[in-house]
Structure formats: structure tokens, C-alpha cells
Amino acid sequence: MCGIIGFQWHIRTKVTEYRFTVHYATAVPDDSGLHVDKMAGIGLGHTRLSILDPSPLGHQPMFAADGKLVLIFNGEIYNFQELRQELKAKGYSFRSDSDTEVFA
């Protein structure tokens, strides 16, 4: 099953408890990911059925090419191949075959 989970906490709170909660909530046999930003006080978790890009390159949370943004996405972008071609024409490059990467 695909899904997302997120937590926000006061930055003075011990992050260990939240990291465990997000990790436990995303523990599935197909693919899951976790991103915890201690400075921002957020935790993001993602589970996915690896269909469009079953390789590790389609793993989420997914980071933008410059590493400044992190994304979790649950859904399907039906016209992602057309969007990918438009973005490639503008000079963007892609690491995966995932539809999510057109957002990142």
C-alpha cells in the first residue's frame, strides 16, 4: 500500500521518538523511505508500490537535483512522460524513470 506520513515537533524535543514513529509507520515489504530534519523539526515518511520505476532511483523521499528540496508524493502523474520531455528540452536532467521526479 502507498502512503505518506509526516510529523512536526518543537525543535527542542528529542527527535529519537519521532524518528522511530515515522520509521515504524513506513515499514512495509516493497519500498519505504524516511527523512528527518532535526533543524526544521519535521519528519517525512513514504511507502510505495514500486511500479513505474522499481529501481532504487525511484525511492522516496526524493530530493531535488540541488538537494535543497525534499518531496514525498502519493499518486500518479498520467502525463509525466510529456512533462519530462518538456523539462528535458529546457535543460533539466533526470536520474530515474519515476513520475515523481518531474516535481522535484
Side-chain angles (χ1 to χ4, degrees):
M1 174 189 292
C2 298
I4 58 175
I5 186 171
F7 284 95
Q8 180 181 15
W9 63 88
H10 191 278
I11 59 173
R12 292 189 182 120
T13 304
K14 289 185 179 181
V15 71
T16 310
E17 299 167 23
Y18 294 99
R19 177 180 280 276
F20 176 76
T21 302
V22 174
H23 178 73
Y24 181 75
T26 59
V28 295
D30 195 6
D31 188 27
S32 64
L34 171 66
H35 174 72
V36 175
D37 186 328
K38 294 179 187 178
M39 297 301 294
I42 61 167
L44 301 172
H46 184 268
T47 62
R48 76 179 178 123
L49 296 172
S50 305
I51 297 170
L52 291 178
D53 185 352
S55 79
L57 297 174
H59 181 78
Q60 291 187 45
M62 187 175 284
F63 290 84
D66 62 7
K68 293 181 180 180
L69 300 173
V70 62
L71 168 74
I72 55 174
F73 172 70
N74 185 16
E76 185 173 347
I77 305 169
Y78 294 108
N79 66 335
F80 83 96
Q81 292 172 331
E82 291 85 7
L83 294 171
R84 179 184 298 270
Q85 292 307 314
E86 289 177 25
L87 291 169
K88 280 184 176 181
K90 293 180 180 182
Y92 291 91
S93 60
F94 295 90
R95 298 175 299 249
S96 75
D97 292 324
S98 173
D99 59 342
T100 302
E101 197 171 5
V102 298
F103 281 137

